[in-house]
């Protein structure tokens, strides 16, 4: 048994990657997550790796049920991500991907808030390279916005942790709650990374700009780390139920009219996070198990979907629905994998989403939260229309675009095959997933009543899609962009800056007018009267002085005589 | 455009494809009917007070999808749609 943080294995191992070449590099990168997985598997529950710093004990390896689930699935995700990206030559992408995964895993096992903060910021800094390496001007701009927001989240976390440290004297990362100001600050930090409504738009802004391989990793770690952190610090916080419920619904309207298929997937990622946030907010054992299980299945099917659309982008150079269609003829295997991912996200029975999402819905119903339950059911029906059908339909079927790209590279197909096998495996044998959940599972997903309900819901959603498509009511996929909250900084913010610049310029010239010009005029006047040629400085002839004195005397005499009479 | 030649196949092929499409549609309608009727023999463990009603899930799924798509097209799109390059100036 090696008691060493699995995250650090990836981070330290990544530093060696630039010095390796060819097959050796591939083997090394694949061995890292496998080694970390073996180490994690052998670790019993408890705190294993502590260091002392500034008078505090930093716990780098707190192992319990909750952290172990996320640790396992993160390691599976980076393993799949490495295979999927094996053809990529840019070494910086491999290094940053491994460090990013290592940081996310390190954060999951952080037993205190300071360690969490360090890894939290490391995920931000390492992941930005996955966007930067796309090397387009849009990607550069998006990556800088992404970095500002991610680091901002870390700064809020730091502020909250300082408040909590000051108040309680402890930096342990346990239940936090929103009773103290520090708790609210940290919730905001987590909420940014979990893409709460109105804090969400960095996700849709940055992820679709990343490289095809980078998006697969991005979709797995940052947001699910936030879900883990919420489950650890805010389980049972009622506000989260409502935030999560809104989150399941509002992104799907955007997804219906979005043209960029990777952005459609990000909107649906946002909506799936909503289910997990609801689970955390309910906070019962069933709900928390559901949130953790959904994080696991979600990471796998979302990675699969991003891989399949990433393969399309890799081969055709576009992921716009309006430019694609009919690709199943030349990319049939990718099309099948995409369909498996879609079936999983739509929670079709025998696919992974079915077993995990239903736990959260059942937990809501058990607590009598019928409004939330109906909202999530609405989102479940919707997910089929906007993501489950839309993505494979417009990429691989629909109207033939005439594009005949090659099938995806072998390494991409292998990664997709593994992810697809896991999606089906969990759907068919959910007990394997249930065994690693934080609490004992007393839940049977496959009852005839439950299966029938879900099949009815889905088939009638398909019927709705078909009816809408045939009647021409389904919105056309148009080359356009849709405003979201990023309008506030992309447009309003810029307009404000322009306005502020102009106002500052005007103020400067007004102030110049007011002070400098007036002062100048005053000096000029002074100079005119008192200067060498001024009236005051003139030399007066003695004669004229005598004349003035005489005039004065005469006037005086005249007035004197007038007075006598 | 160059991809036009792929869109139109031989007329016979086109007719066959259309026939398949119609068969698929009828299969879907039949499936929907069977699923709703299955509500009768299968006893439902209702999660809430109202989801045990006959045809609840089918009805809700259909209405939810229609509302979602129509609201996105006729309410959201007119508000948020902008030409590509809106932010580029």
């Amino acid at each position: 048994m090696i008691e060493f943080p699995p995250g650090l294995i990836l981070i330290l191992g990544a530093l060696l990657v630039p010095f390796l070449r060819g097959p050796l590099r591939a083997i090394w990168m694949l061995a890292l997550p496998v080694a970390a997985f073996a180490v994690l598997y052998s670790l019993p529950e408890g705190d294993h790796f502590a260091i002392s710093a500034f008078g505090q004990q930093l716990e780098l390896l707190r192992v319990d049920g909750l952290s172990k689930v996320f640790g396992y699935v993160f390691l599976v995700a980076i393993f799949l991500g490495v295979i999927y990206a094996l053809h990529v030559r840019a070494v910086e992408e491999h290094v940053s991907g491994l460090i990013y995964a290592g940081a996310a895993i390190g954060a999951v096992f952080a037993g205190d808030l300071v360690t969490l903060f360090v890894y939290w910021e490391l995920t931000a800094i390492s992941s930005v390279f996955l966007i930067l390496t796309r090397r387009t001007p849009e990607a550069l701009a998006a990556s800088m916005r992404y970095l500002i927001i991610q680091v901002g989240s870390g700064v809020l976390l730091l502020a909250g942790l300082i408040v909590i440290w000051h108040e309680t004297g402890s930096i342990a990362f346990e239940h936090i709650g929103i009773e103290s100001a520090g708790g609210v600050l940290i919730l905001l930090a987590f909420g940014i990374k979990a893409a709460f409504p109105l804090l969400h738009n960095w996700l849709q802004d940055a992820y679709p700009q990343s490289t095809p391989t980078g998006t697969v990793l991005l979709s797995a770690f940052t947001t699910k780390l936030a879900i883990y952190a919420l489950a650890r610090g805010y389980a049972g916080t009622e506000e989260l139920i409502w935030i999560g419920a809104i989150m399941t619904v509002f992104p799907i309207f955007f997804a219906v009219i979005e043209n960029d298929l990777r952005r459609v997937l990000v909107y649906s990622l946002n909506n799936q996070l909503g289910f997990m946030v609801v689970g955390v907010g309910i906070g019962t054992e069933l709900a928390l198990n559901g949130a953790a299980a959904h994080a696991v299945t979600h990471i796998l099917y979302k990675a699969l979907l991003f891989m399949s659309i990433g393969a399309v982008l890799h081969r055709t150079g576009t992921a716009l629905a309006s430019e694609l269609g009919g690709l199943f003829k030349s990319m049939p295997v990718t099309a099948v994998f995409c369909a498996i991912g879609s079936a999983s996200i739509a929670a079709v029975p025998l696919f992974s989403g079915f077993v995990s999402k239903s736990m959260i819905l059942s937990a809501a119903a058990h607590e009598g939260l019928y409004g939330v339950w109906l909202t999530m059911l609405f989102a479940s029906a919707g997910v089929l229309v906007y993501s489950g059908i839309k993505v494979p339909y417009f990429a691989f079927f629909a109207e033939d675009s005439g594009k005949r790209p090659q099938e995806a590279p072998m390494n991409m197909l292998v990664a997709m095959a593994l992810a697809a096998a896991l999606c089906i495996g969990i759907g068919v044998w959910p007990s394997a997933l249930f065994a690693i959940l934080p609490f004992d599972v007393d839940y049977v997903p496959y009852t005839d009543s439950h299966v029938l309900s879900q099949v009815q819901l889905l088939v009638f959603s398909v019927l709705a899609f078909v009816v809408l498509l045939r009647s021409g009511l389904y919105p056309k996929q148009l080359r356009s962009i849709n405003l979201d909250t990023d309008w506030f900084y992309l447009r309003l913010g810029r307009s404000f800056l322009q306005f502020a610049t102009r106002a500052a310029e005007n103020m400067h010239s007004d102030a110049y007018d007011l002070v400098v010009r007036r002062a100048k005029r005053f000096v000029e006047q002074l100079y005119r009267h008192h200067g060498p040629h001024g009236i005051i400085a003139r030399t007066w002839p003695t004669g004229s002085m005598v004349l003035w004195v005489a005039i004065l005397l005469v006037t005086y005499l005249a007035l004197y005589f007038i007075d006598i009479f | 455009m160059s991809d036009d030649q792929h869109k139109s196949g031989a007329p016979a092929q086109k007719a066959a494809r259309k026939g398949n499409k119609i068969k698929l549609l009828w299969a879907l309608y039949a499936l929907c009917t069977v699923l709703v009727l299955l509500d009768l023999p299968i006893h439902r463990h209702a999660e809430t007070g109202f989801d045990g009603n006959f045809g609840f899930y089918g009805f809700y799924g259909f209405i939810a999808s229609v509302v979602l798509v129509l609201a996105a097209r006729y309410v959201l799109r007119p508000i948020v749609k902008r030409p590509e390059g809106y932010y580029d100036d």
Side-chain angles (χ1 to χ4, degrees):
Chain A
M1 191 177 67
I2 313 158
E3 289 186 353
F4 192 75
L8 280 182
I9 295 177
L10 294 187
I11 295 171
L12 298 175
L15 301 179
L16 255 178
V17 171
F19 304 105
L20 301 172
R21 289 279 172 277
L24 201 61
R25 180 196 282 175
I27 292 167
W28 177 249
M29 290 197 303
L30 289 171
L32 288 173
V34 174
F37 197 95
V39 168
L40 175 59
Y41 186 76
S42 70
L43 282 174
E45 298 203 350
D47 295 332
H48 298 293
F49 199 90
I51 52 174
S52 296
F54 43 94
Q56 290 285 330
Q57 189 91 339
L58 299 185
E59 296 289 350
L60 265 59
L61 192 51
R62 183 236 326 253
V63 180
D64 62 7
L66 189 61
S67 55
K68 245 185 166 174
V69 188
F70 281 85
Y72 282 141
V73 70
F74 280 1
L75 284 168
V76 172
I78 182 63
F79 185 71
L80 295 175
V82 167
I83 298 177
Y84 186 75
L86 276 180
H87 66 281
V88 173
R89 295 229 181 85
V91 71
E92 61 270 27
E93 196 177 319
H94 294 299
V95 175
S96 60
L98 282 167
I99 293 179
Y100 173 40
I105 293 162
V108 161
F109 292 104
D112 63 273
L113 291 167
V114 174
T115 308
L116 178 73
F117 165 74
V118 172
Y119 282 125
W120 195 263
E121 289 291 40
L122 188 56
T123 59
I125 296 162
S126 53
S127 60
V128 78
F129 291 97
L130 298 174
I131 307 166
L132 268 174
T133 45
R134 183 97 185 275
R135 295 202 170 83
T136 61
E138 294 83 21
L140 174 69
S143 67
M144 287 304 117
R145 294 193 290 268
Y146 170 83
L147 191 62
I148 290 169
I149 291 168
Q150 294 296 306
V151 171
S153 156
V155 171
L156 283 171
L157 173 59
L158 181 64
L161 108 82
I162 289 169
V163 173
I164 286 179
W165 190 0
H166 182 74
E167 279 174 358
T168 65
S170 159
I171 55 167
F173 180 25
E174 299 295 344
H175 184 80
I176 301 170
I178 50 170
E179 289 75 30
S180 80
V184 175
L185 282 171
I186 293 180
L187 180 65
L188 214 54
F190 292 176
I192 291 174
K193 281 214 185 198
F196 280 4
L198 303 182
L199 304 176
H200 67 283
N201 211 191
W202 61 269
L203 204 66
Q204 290 84 356
D205 183 23
Y207 283 14
Q209 299 293 351
S210 160
T211 60
T213 45
T215 326
V216 175
L217 295 181
L218 286 168
S219 77
F221 300 118
T222 299
T223 49
K224 259 61 70 185
L225 169 59
I227 295 295
Y228 162 80
L230 284 170
R232 174 76 66 190
Y234 297 91
T237 303
E238 206 192 322
E239 285 76 3
L240 290 181
I241 299 175
W242 304 106
I243 292 172
I246 295 169
M247 231 167 129
T248 60
V249 172
F250 97 97
I252 67 182
F253 291 94
F254 282 91
V256 172
I257 53 171
E258 178 57 54
N259 187 30
D260 184 341
L261 290 180
R262 290 207 293 172
R263 192 163 281 134
V264 172
L265 288 177
V266 178
Y267 275 116
S268 78
L269 187 152
N270 205 171
N271 132 286
Q272 297 295 307
L273 293 170
F275 285 95
M276 297 171 222
V277 172
V278 169
V280 171
I282 295 171
T284 59
E285 288 196 354
L286 176 62
L288 288 174
N289 269 343
H294 203 50
V296 171
T297 60
H298 167 84
I299 285 175
L300 297 172
Y301 61 65
K302 204 81 224 177
L304 177 56
L305 285 166
F306 272 116
M307 284 184 203
S308 62
I309 295 304
V312 169
L313 176 64
H314 178 71
R315 284 301 193 211
T316 67
T318 182
L320 299 181
S322 57
E323 312 298 303
L324 295 171
L327 295 191
F328 79 96
K329 286 177 183 155
S330 61
M331 298 180 82
V333 186
T334 308
V336 169
F337 289 141
C338 184
I340 293 173
S342 299
S344 304
I345 193 175
V348 176
L350 299 182
F351 292 90
S352 60
F354 178 74
V355 294
S356 55
K357 188 154 64 176
S358 53
M359 291 171 91
I360 300 173
L361 273 131
S362 293
H366 289 180
E367 299 303 305
L369 298 160
Y370 297 139
V372 175
W373 185 83
L374 278 173
T375 310
M376 288 197 288
L377 200 64
F378 176 86
S380 302
V383 76
L384 189 81
V385 175
Y386 75 81
S387 183
I389 300 179
K390 176 172 176 170
V391 171
Y393 179 76
F394 283 106
F396 297 102
F397 305 98
E399 206 172 307
D400 196 340
S401 64
K403 289 191 169 68
R404 291 289 180 276
Q406 251 186 302
E407 184 55 88
M410 187 43 88
N411 64 306
M412 286 188 166
L413 289 178
V414 170
M416 285 190 266
L418 288 174
L422 285 167
C423 285
I424 296 174
I426 292 174
V428 177
W429 298 285
S431 51
L433 170 65
F434 291 171
I436 58 165
L437 293 181
F439 303 102
D440 290 335
V441 180
D442 174 28
Y443 183 77
V444 186
Y446 288 107
T447 63
D448 48 3
S449 152
H450 185 201
V451 172
L452 177 65
S453 307
Q454 185 66 11
V455 174
Q456 283 177 338
L457 187 78
L458 295 178
V459 172
F460 276 85
S461 301
V462 175
L463 180 69
F465 181 81
V466 171
V467 168
L468 290 166
L469 205 61
R470 285 178 66 81
S471 60
L473 285 171
Y474 196 86
K476 283 205 167 52
Q477 303 304 306
L478 301 172
R479 288 197 74 127
S480 65
I481 58 163
N482 297 311
L483 305 183
D484 201 332
T485 52
D486 58 359
W487 179 84
F488 286 97
Y489 46 86
L490 287 178
R491 192 73 176 204
L492 189 68
R494 200 161 57 175
S495 303
F496 175 75
L497 265 186
Q498 283 164 351
F499 167 78
T501 316
R502 259 202 309 276
E505 272 169 7
N506 287 344
M507 232 154 79
H508 176 255
S509 69
D510 283 357
Y512 187 82
D513 239 24
L514 199 75
V515 181
V516 180
R517 290 224 182 107
R518 282 200 184 177
K520 237 179 181 167
R521 221 174 305 146
F522 176 71
V523 171
E524 273 166 15
Q525 295 273 344
L526 214 63
Y527 189 78
R528 187 133 52 97
H529 295 300
H530 298 271
H533 305 291
I535 201 158
I536 305 292
R538 221 174 275 164
T539 47
W540 299 80
T542 324
S544 73
M545 208 62 199
V546 172
L547 180 71
W548 278 112
V549 171
I551 288 171
L552 213 69
L553 274 174
V554 169
T555 316
Y556 174 75
L557 273 174
L559 287 174
Y560 183 76
F561 277 114
I562 290 165
D563 200 40
I564 288 174
F565 295 115
Chain B
M1 254 168 49
S2 67
D3 46 31
D4 277 353
Q5 66 219 32
H6 296 286
K7 282 179 188 165
S8 55
Q13 241 181 335
K14 223 176 174 182
R17 241 182 294 157
K18 206 174 173 192
N20 281 342
K21 239 185 200 173
I22 289 172
K23 267 184 216 157
L24 268 175
L25 274 178
W26 278 108
L28 178 64
Y29 298 150
L31 183 62
C32 288
T33 319
V34 171
L35 283 172
V36 173
L37 291 179
L38 272 179
D39 259 2
L40 296 174
I42 291 183
H43 176 70
R44 194 178 291 278
H45 315 280
E47 301 233 47
T48 66
F50 39 84
D51 69 319
N53 291 332
F54 178 76
F56 169 81
Y57 282 94
F59 182 74
Y60 194 79
F62 186 84
I63 295 297
S65 306
V66 171
V67 166
L68 168 67
V69 170
L70 295 186
R73 178 174 177 178
Y74 293 107
V75 180
L76 187 64
R77 185 173 255 181
I79 299 172
V80 299
K81 185 170 160 279
R82 293 292 182 279
E84 280 184 314
Y86 171 76
Y87 289 125
D88 295 344
D89 55 345

